[in-house]
Amino acid sequence: MSESDTDSNATYARLRATTPVFWDEAAGAWFITRYADVAALLLDARLGARLSSVDLAGIPAPVRDQVGALEAFLGRWLVFSDAPYQARMRKAIAPAFVPASIAALTGVLRSHARKHLGHFVEQGGGDLVHDLTKPFALSVAGEFLGFAAADHGRLATWSGDIMGYVTAAFDPELTARAAAALHELSTWVLTSLLPRGDGPVAATLAAGTARGELTGAEAVAIVAQLLTGGVEPVSVAAAVCSAALHQQPDALARVRAGTLPLSLAVEETLRWQTPFHFAPRRVRTDFVFQGEQFRAGDRVALVLASANRDERKFSRPDVFDPFRTERGHLAFGRGGHYCMGAALARLEIEELVRALHDGLPAARSWGPAEFASSYGATELRSVPVLI
Ligand code: HEM
C-alpha cells in the first residue's frame, strides 16, 4: 500500500498540471490545487468562511423553517464562520485545548487504546476502522467532550444525519432528518452534557455559558462541530498509518526500536492520505487570482489533499515514505482556522498505532486497505485484519 491512486488523487493531479485554478460549473466553485496557491489563500483575508448557499425563497414553508434553523446552526460553527465571531468562539473553547489539558489525557488515551485492542484481539480481529479505530476515537471524544459510552449510538446517528445535510445537495428528507437530529442534539447538550460538565469541553462550555461568554446555541454548535469533525479523521488516519507501516517492515522495525519517531509516520500519513480534502471558502470581495477573476460570493475549495501531493513541494508525492524529511503538509489547514484539535489528533493516532504494533499478536492476514474513491474526505472501505 505504498502507492495509491484513488480517482480523486488522479483528478487532483490532472488539475495541478493543467488548470490549477479551476472553475467547476457543476459544483459552482473554484478548485485550487497547487500547494503554493492553497497555502497562500489559506492566509488571504479576501476569502471568508462558507456562507449559506440555499435560496430560502424557493423552498416550501415547512421545510423552509428547517433549512433556516440548520443554516443558522451551521453559521455558528467555528469552521463555517469568520472573525470576530469565530475568534470569540475559539477563545471561549481554548481552555479545553491547552497543552496541559491534552497532555493530561495521555494516560486515558493509552488505556482506551489497550481496551479496544483487547476486544479486537478477543474477537479474532475484524475491520480495522469499524472494529478498532472508530470505537477508539469515539471513546476519546467521549472523554474530551464529556459523554458516556451509552451515548455513542445516538451521537453517531445525530452526527451522521447532520453531515448528511451538510455534504449532500438539497433534499427535503435529509433536511427533515438533520433538523430532527439538531433538535435532539440541542436538548441533550443543554439538559445533560453541560449540566454534568464532565470532560474538558463540557466543563469549559458550562463555565463559559454561566459567565455569559457564549449562548446555549453557540455551545451546541461547538459540540456538534467537535463531534462531526473530530472522530472520523482520527479513525481513518490511525487505520491508514497502521496499515501503511505494516506494509513497510523496515520502517516498522525502526519505529519499534525507537530509531524512527512514530510522529514522522503520523505526519506522513496525514500528508499522503489527507483526511479532509477541502477547506471551503467564499470570496468576500472581487479580486484576480493567478489571472482568474474571483467575484464576491464565489465558492472556493482549497484542496488540501492536492496541495499535500504537489510534486512542486514534495518529492515522489504519491509514495508513503515515513522517512521523508520534507515538512509543511496542510492537513490541519493554516492560519486563522488552523485545526484546534491537531495536538489531540496526533496524540490519539500515535497512542493507537503504538498500542496496535506493540500489542497485536502476529496477524494471520492484514489488509489490503481499500480506499473508497471519494471526493471531500478520505474514506476506507475496509482494512481486514485476521488474528
Ligand atoms: C486527523 C484529524 C484531524 C484533521 C485532519 C483535522 C483537520 C482540520 C482542518 C483541515 C481544519 C481547518 C478547516 C478550514 O480551514 O476550513 C480543522 C479545523 C478544526 N478542527 Fe480539526 N482535524 C482533525 C481532528 C480534530 C479533532 C480531534 C478536533 C477536536 C476534538 C478538531 C477540532 C477542530 C476545530 C475546533 C476546528 C475549527 C477551527 C476554526 O475554524 O477556527 N479537529 N481541522
Side-chain angles (χ1 to χ4, degrees):
M1 205 183 69
S2 62
E3 303 252 356
S4 152
D5 64 346
T6 56
D7 289 353
S8 52
N9 284 320
T11 306
Y12 302 151
R14 190 164 39 76
L15 288 178
R16 277 196 308 276
T18 59
T19 23
V21 178
F22 173 67
W23 173 256
D24 184 339
E25 194 62 46
W30 294 99
F31 284 79
I32 315 296
T33 46
R34 284 191 185 163
Y35 183 94
D37 292 342
V38 173
L41 287 178
L42 281 167
L43 300 182
D44 198 316
R46 292 171 297 181
L47 296 186
R50 166 198 186 274
L51 293 175
S52 169
S53 54
V54 183
D55 176 14
L56 285 178
I59 298 174
V63 189
R64 194 186 309 147
D65 292 348
Q66 294 171 342
V67 171
L70 285 164
E71 290 298 323
F73 159 68
L74 292 173
R76 289 185 209 106
W77 290 28
L78 285 153
V79 76
F80 296 146
S81 60
D82 291 314
Y85 169 83
Q86 173 254 4
R88 180 165 68 78
M89 287 302 112
R90 270 184 92 100
K91 199 166 159 216
I93 191 63
F97 288 95
V98 293
S101 168
I102 302 302
L105 286 172
T106 309
V108 179
L109 293 194
R110 201 160 289 168
S111 72
H112 277 294
R114 291 207 186 110
K115 182 187 82 187
H116 287 289
L117 185 62
H119 292 160
F120 189 71
V121 171
E122 255 169 50
Q123 67 179 43
D127 177 66
L128 207 52
V129 176
H130 184 264
D131 298 313
L132 181 62
T133 64
K134 184 100 176 258
F136 165 78
L138 254 176
S139 298
V140 174
E143 294 286 350
F144 188 56
L145 271 78
F147 58 81
D151 294 317
H152 287 184
R154 53 190 177 151
L155 290 178
T157 306
W158 294 335
S159 300
D161 288 349
I162 289 168
M163 289 318 284
Y165 173 83
V166 175
T167 52
F170 176 69
D171 173 292
E173 205 175 303
L174 291 181
T175 303
R177 219 179 291 155
L182 168 58
H183 178 71
E184 288 170 29
L185 173 72
S186 303
T187 307
W188 173 77
V189 169
L190 298 175
T191 61
S192 174
L193 186 80
L194 295 194
R196 276 202 319 268
D198 294 337
V201 170
T204 303
L205 293 177
T209 47
R211 284 195 300 268
E213 290 164 8
L214 74 169
T215 65
E218 290 165 353
V220 170
I222 288 182
V223 169
Q225 187 191 326
L226 298 183
L227 266 178
T228 53
V231 173
E232 210 63 40
V234 168
S235 59
V236 168
V240 172
C241 185
S242 311
L245 277 176
H246 190 80
Q247 295 284 311
Q248 297 203 3
D250 239 28
L252 184 55
R254 295 218 11 213
V255 166
R256 282 184 169 139
T259 54
L260 173 65
L262 180 53
S263 57
L264 288 188
V266 172
E267 295 310 307
E268 176 64 351
T269 301
L270 294 165
R271 181 200 69 78
W272 179 58
Q273 293 294 345
T274 304
F276 292 132
H277 291 192
F278 309 137
R281 295 290 186 270
R282 180 77 67 159
V283 177
R284 291 153 73 105
T285 172
D286 288 7
F287 68 104
V288 175
F289 184 75
Q290 303 291 19
E292 299 289 352
Q293 177 67 57
F294 285 10
R295 299 204 182 280
D298 283 356
R299 290 167 58 211
V300 181
L302 304 177
V303 190
L304 308 173
S306 173
N308 286 343
R309 293 218 183 187
D310 188 344
E311 33 294 282
R312 292 155 202 79
K313 168 76 179 171
F314 300 103
S315 56
R316 297 184 308 136
D318 294 332
V319 176
F320 172 82
D321 175 7
F323 298 98
R324 188 182 291 280
T325 51
E326 297 143 328
R327 301 280 168 266
H329 72 69
L330 298 174
F332 291 118
R334 186 179 189 221
H337 285 281
Y338 183 76
C339 176
M340 293 187 79
L344 175 60
R346 287 176 162 128
L347 189 64
E348 286 185 62
I349 300 166
E350 271 199 41
E351 285 301 332
L352 188 57
V353 174
R354 197 183 308 282
L356 188 58
H357 285 304
D358 287 353
L360 194 69
R364 275 195 285 137
S365 74
W366 188 307
E370 275 195 38
F371 289 92
S373 160
S374 53
Y375 291 84
T378 294
E379 281 173 33
L380 281 166
R381 265 202 204 102
S382 69
V383 191
V385 175
L386 288 180
I387 296 161

